[in-house]
Amino acid sequence: AMDLRWNRTSFEGDSVNAFLACSMRGFLEAGLEQQWFSEWSKRSCISSFEVFNRLQEDYPTYPLRRMTLAEKCFREFKALNNKGASLIFSAHKTGSDNDTLAKVVLTKNSDGNIIIKGAEVDQEKIQFLSERELQIPVKDDKIEGIIDNGPEKAAIIIENALLATDYKPYVPPDYFMNVEFNRGERNILVTGSVLESLNGEVKSIHNFLNVGKSIKIDFKVWNSSLTIEGVLTLDKDAMEKSRLYDKWWNNEELTYSNKTSLVYSRDIYRELKNGKDSKCAKGKNLEDATEETLFVTEPSKINFIVNGKEVELSTVCYKTAEGEIRHLLDYENVPVVKIDTYSAIKTEVLCRLTDSNSKAIPNASVKLINAGTTAITMPDGSFVLPPPSDESYGIDSLIIEKNNEEYGRVAVDLTAPGIDVVNITSPRKHMEAVWLTPDSLDYLASLPLTDEVKKHIKTYIEKGEFVLTPSRMVTTESGEIAGFYAFDAQTGDITSVFESGINGVVKNMADAYDDLADDLTEWAKDNGKDMGKEGVENLIGAAGIEGAMADAMNSYWSDVIDAMESGDEVSGMIMALHSYRGGLAAMYGYSGHRIDQDDKTNHTQALINTLKDMDMWAGKCDFFEGTEYVGGDDVKDAVEGLINNFSPGFSGPAAKAAFKMGYISAVMGLHKGFGNQPGVK
């Protein structure tokens, strides 16, 4: 990955393959360089490689993204136990309308197995997959069967099932995968929910502080003459199997482990739901309790105000010997007794964020401005807002952000959403790749890129090169940035360029350089310019290489002091490149010394030899070295002076200091990485 911008290497052979090889090299080199800079500077770095990775990054249009999406959804679906849940994957033609090319549906059977079903398959494709041991479940020429593999294999099955569907002419390899997640029977009473009864003689408000295996409720019950409030906790045993029900309330914090209040146990609920009569005892304790039989009847529906909207909920019905009818919410987790005496429930709000083509926008951050509530969208664009703290969320504005960019602000009406999914549409902020040719100056001027970026692009297309660039700026932690690739059609050379003109990690590298320089400056004040073995040993604690490291540090500091005395400087851009070259030179030299020595396990000796080579390598870091000038030294001095004035640090003591900093840092990293391994000397 070294010196992408200085090594003019071309590929020979078939022109198309040569171009692809050169493109891949340039793309990967930029990515490797970004990774190195990030690790070296311990800062978030960005490059043209990263910019192009963001092109339609949330659009699953090629296998890796599609299977990553399928794997995430499969994991979530496998962990979901809601009755009636399903997961739908569909294939669509990229960039066209919403016509479905293929579809598979995942459900669970009574045994908890995941079933996949789809349309008829193309037998030729099935044969192709079978020969490569990539079989998909097929029954009667249709996609159908059990997926008993892990999420990774399941994702491959889903991908191949869509591609193997008998669609004419065929499902294209760059199809867009859409996901619809139907979570089935939803939990009505969750943590944060409120159950209220404000009609009739006795009124009550129950705030569910926790809902899970146990339940914790903050309650207030009152009538014209009495008010009772407190906190009730029903522990795991009580919620699971208690047969004792206490309808009385106390003004204090209580924990019930052998009886319930407000709800029946899940044991009783399951019996009634399965059509069986059940028994319970009523009273404060077993000694005073009266036994009661609950005779199951046909299930029924009840109209209820949920999140400000009247909705119809399923109930389990029963009657006692006296003929009284009770209602339980058709929800095993919190089976509320006599639900028909309550009037309203406040619960979480389900939403889904899609673009104008109804395609999900995943991994986006959403925030309600007035309520301050935030959430992250799931792979299918869905997200959940907790029960509102006030009566409802009302009319609000939703801020949508993705990749540290604001997608936009959308007005949402959450006054009375009920239990329906609230569909929210936002324009998708696409970033498209644009080819610019030598006659594209007018088009370049119209793009929403900064003047700095346009200036750099213009220099390339005016030279007759082609430029591939995003159509807009990208917002990152470092601000608005862009990157592009310039292609020389005559030589096949690819140059990766960033907004700064060379590399987008310049500021991060400069900050890291300054931090380290400050630390070394303080250390130098305490130890003086001539740093001996003892000082270096105290600094790095590297037993066995103190002498070589002391020589290297002294050499580095000689250049630093020479640069300070002469006023020599290195621009951030060139400093980053020198440091990068120094690090790679150290790693290259170390590798050679390990290979060339008789004892190839002798890590310490290889490090010593590498450190001794530093001055030799630093002498070669001068970009002007070996360059011949027509006109002699006067022309040489004039040219180098002009370049150094424009971008200081191509040569001189400051350049060597930057190179040596990267070199020494790499040596210290090698020692830390390998020095403590067993068997390494």
Side-chain angles (χ1 to χ4, degrees):
M2 189 163 125
D3 291 345
L4 168 64
R5 293 152 192 82
W6 311 109
N7 292 346
R8 309 301 287 179
T9 304
S10 300
F11 291 89
E12 297 179 350
D14 176 79
S15 59
V16 174
N17 289 337
F19 169 72
L20 292 174
C22 201
S23 300
M24 182 59 71
R25 182 203 63 182
F27 193 59
L28 289 177
E29 283 174 339
L32 289 168
E33 184 181 74
Q34 177 190 349
Q35 180 179 348
W36 187 89
F37 279 133
S38 298
E39 292 180 3
W40 191 91
S41 68
K42 302 297 186 291
R43 286 166 167 79
S44 174
C45 295
I46 195 102
S47 72
S48 46
F49 173 83
E50 179 72 14
V51 172
F52 276 77
N53 263 341
R54 293 174 181 240
L55 287 174
Q56 295 187 337
E57 64 157 2
D58 57 356
Y59 247 55
T61 52
Y62 67 87
L64 179 60
R65 284 181 184 160
R66 291 194 298 253
M67 287 191 285
T68 300
L69 173 64
E71 181 184 335
K72 288 180 180 178
C73 293
F74 186 86
R75 288 181 186 276
E76 186 179 345
F77 183 68
K78 191 172 183 179
L80 192 67
N81 295 315
N82 293 10
K83 181 180 177 181
S86 63
L87 183 58
I88 303 170
F89 294 94
S90 54
H92 304 263
K93 209 167 186 177
T94 303
S96 66
D97 54 25
N98 290 320
D99 289 344
T100 301
L101 310 181
K103 181 170 71 173
V104 293
V105 181
L106 272 60
T107 56
K108 285 186 181 179
N109 62 17
S110 57
D111 297 327
N113 295 319
I114 296 179
I115 309 297
I116 184 172
K117 288 186 178 182
E120 290 187 9
V121 293
D122 183 306
Q123 292 301 325
E124 188 177 342
K125 294 175 183 175
I126 293 299
Q127 179 66 26
F128 177 87
L129 292 171
S130 298
E131 290 172 356
R132 288 154 181 79
E133 298 184 353
L134 294 169
Q135 295 91 339
I136 59 176
V138 175
K139 180 180 179 182
D140 298 331
D141 296 332
K142 292 185 177 181
I143 299 167
E144 183 175 344
I146 295 176
I147 299 182
D148 54 4
N149 313 79
E152 296 87 356
K153 291 286 184 66
I156 296 174
I157 290 173
I158 293 165
E159 163 83 353
N160 288 335
L162 290 171
L163 287 168
T165 298
D166 190 16
Y167 173 81
K168 303 301 183 201
Y170 59 88
V171 176
D174 65 341
Y175 78 87
F176 169 83
M177 177 185 281
N178 195 40
V179 184
E180 297 176 60
F181 212 136
N182 172 22
R183 288 172 171 75
E185 289 185 359
R186 62 171 295 187
N187 300 344
I188 300 296
L189 289 169
V190 297
T191 299
S193 288
V194 176
L195 176 65
E196 32 180 72
S197 170
L198 301 179
N199 299 317
E201 185 178 339
V202 178
K203 299 176 175 62
S204 63
I205 294 180
H206 304 278
N207 294 285
F208 288 82
L209 305 178
N210 179 63
V211 174
K213 292 182 179 179
S214 63
I215 293 178
K216 189 174 184 179
I217 309 163
D218 180 20
F219 64 86
K220 180 181 179 182
V221 181
W222 72 96
N223 59 22
S224 57
S225 59
L226 179 67
T227 298
I228 301 173
E229 51 190 333
V231 177
L232 173 66
T233 300
L234 308 175
D235 74 6
K236 178 182 174 182
D237 288 340
M239 278 304 306
E240 193 59 36
K241 57 191 178 184
S242 171
R243 294 278 164 173
L244 180 61
Y245 176 80
D246 182 6
K247 68 177 182 179
W248 302 101
W249 296 86
N250 298 277
N251 256 318
E252 55 186 304
E253 288 206 15
L254 299 167
T255 298
Y256 288 171
S257 58
N258 65 347
K259 65 179 178 178
T260 60
S261 188
L262 179 67
V263 303
Y264 279 155
S265 70
R266 291 159 187 154
D267 252 5
I268 295 176
Y269 172 83
R270 282 190 284 265
E271 289 176 351
L272 294 170
K273 187 174 182 181
N274 292 329
K276 298 178 181 179
D277 295 342
S278 188
K279 292 185 179 294
C280 74
K282 291 184 177 179
K284 286 187 171 295
N285 50 62
L286 286 174
E287 291 76 17
D288 302 328
T290 57
E291 187 176 279
E292 189 170 47
T293 301
L294 310 174
F295 299 96
V296 69
T297 64
E298 289 294 320
S300 68
K301 303 284 187 179
I302 184 173
N303 289 328
F304 217 85
I305 301 296
V306 180
N307 286 341
K309 181 179 179 181
E310 186 174 287
V311 299
E312 190 177 63
L313 299 178
S314 300
T315 66
V316 172
C317 302
Y318 64 93
K319 60 182 179 179
T320 64
E322 290 79 23
E324 186 177 9
I325 297 175
R326 306 282 180 93
H327 296 277
L328 299 174
L329 277 177
D330 190 11
Y331 166 43
E332 183 178 341
N333 218 23
V334 189
V336 178
V337 173
K338 209 171 183 180
I339 192 65
D340 55 334
T341 64
Y342 294 91
S343 57
I345 292 177
K346 187 170 64 177
T347 186
E348 60 191 11
V349 180
L350 304 186
C351 306
R352 186 165 185 252
L353 180 64
T354 60
D355 62 16
S356 54
N357 292 320
S358 301
K359 290 180 170 61
I361 300 179
N363 304 318
S365 170
V366 294
K367 179 180 180 179
L368 289 173
I369 295 179
N370 297 333
T373 306
T374 60
I376 303 294
T377 60
M378 300 297 288
D380 66 333
S382 64
F383 62 96
V384 179
L385 298 173
S389 56
D390 297 326
E391 197 62 33
S392 76
Y393 284 112
I395 297 175
D396 209 330
S397 291
L398 193 71
I399 300 178
I400 304 164
E401 292 184 347
K402 190 171 172 65
N403 298 324
N404 300 309
E405 292 186 85
E406 185 174 308
Y407 257 43
R409 304 189 177 207
V410 181
V412 290
D413 188 352
L414 302 175
T415 306
I419 58 174
D420 297 328
V421 176
V422 179
N423 290 305
I424 302 170
T425 301
S426 171
R428 199 180 205 100
K429 198 168 185 179
H430 275 318
M431 181 168 59
E432 299 173 339
V434 177
W435 269 110
L436 298 174
T437 60
D439 59 355
S440 300
L441 286 175
D442 290 341
Y443 183 55
L444 170 63
S446 69
L447 293 175
L449 300 169
T450 65
D451 291 340
E452 177 81 1
V453 175
K454 290 178 182 178
K455 179 181 73 174
H456 294 306
I457 292 177
K458 186 178 178 182
T459 61
Y460 283 92
I461 62 177
E462 285 182 338
K463 288 191 300 181
E465 297 191 19
F466 296 84
V467 171
L468 183 67
T469 180
S471 60
R472 63 177 177 84
M473 303 297 290
V474 178
T475 303
T476 70
E477 295 175 1
S478 302
E480 291 274 309
I481 55 91
F484 61 89
Y485 288 88
F487 169 58
D488 186 343
Q490 299 298 318
T491 64
D493 288 329
I494 304 285
T495 305
S496 167
V497 184
F498 208 71
E499 181 182 0
S500 67
I502 293 290
N503 196 284
V505 299
V506 169
K507 184 178 185 302
N508 292 320
M509 288 296 295
D511 290 344
Y513 186 94
D514 289 343
D515 290 346
L516 187 52
D518 289 343
D519 293 341
L520 290 175
T521 301
E522 290 299 318
W523 186 77
K525 288 179 180 177
D526 296 335
N527 294 275
K529 177 183 175 182
D530 185 16
M531 291 177 267
K533 295 180 181 180
E534 183 179 351
V536 176
E537 183 179 4
N538 291 336
L539 176 67
I540 64 170
I545 63 170
E546 294 88 349
M549 182 60 79
D551 290 341
M553 293 296 292
N554 282 328
S555 175
Y556 162 75
W557 268 106
S558 293
D559 288 329
V560 170
I561 292 173
D562 287 346
M564 292 170 63
E565 290 175 348
S566 64
D568 190 23
E569 295 181 355
V570 180
S571 71
M573 175 179 69
I574 304 303
M575 177 277 300
L577 190 58
H578 281 313
S579 299
Y580 177 53
R581 289 159 64 96
L584 288 174
M587 293 178 189
Y588 175 81
Y590 172 82
S591 301
H593 287 303
R594 281 293 290 270
I595 293 170
D596 292 341
Q597 62 190 9
D598 292 334
D599 184 357
K600 293 180 175 53
T601 66
N602 198 327
H603 163 78
T604 300
Q605 188 58 48
L607 280 183
I608 292 171
N609 292 335
T610 302
L611 285 166
K612 288 180 178 179
D613 287 346
M614 186 181 74
D615 284 329
M616 178 270 294
W617 280 105
K620 294 182 177 182
C621 83
D622 191 323
F623 289 127
F624 300 121
E625 185 169 312
T627 303
E628 295 183 3
Y629 292 89
V630 177
D633 290 341
D634 290 342
V635 174
K636 178 178 183 293
D637 292 341
V639 171
E640 293 183 8
L642 283 172
I643 293 176
N644 269 320
N645 286 335
F646 172 73
S647 188
F650 272 89
S651 62
K656 289 183 178 179
F659 180 92
K660 291 175 181 178
M661 176 175 284
Y663 195 99
I664 292 171
S665 296
V667 170
M668 294 172 75
L670 286 167
H671 182 67
K672 182 179 180 182
F674 296 115
N676 296 321
Q677 291 187 12
V680 175
K681 295 180 183 178

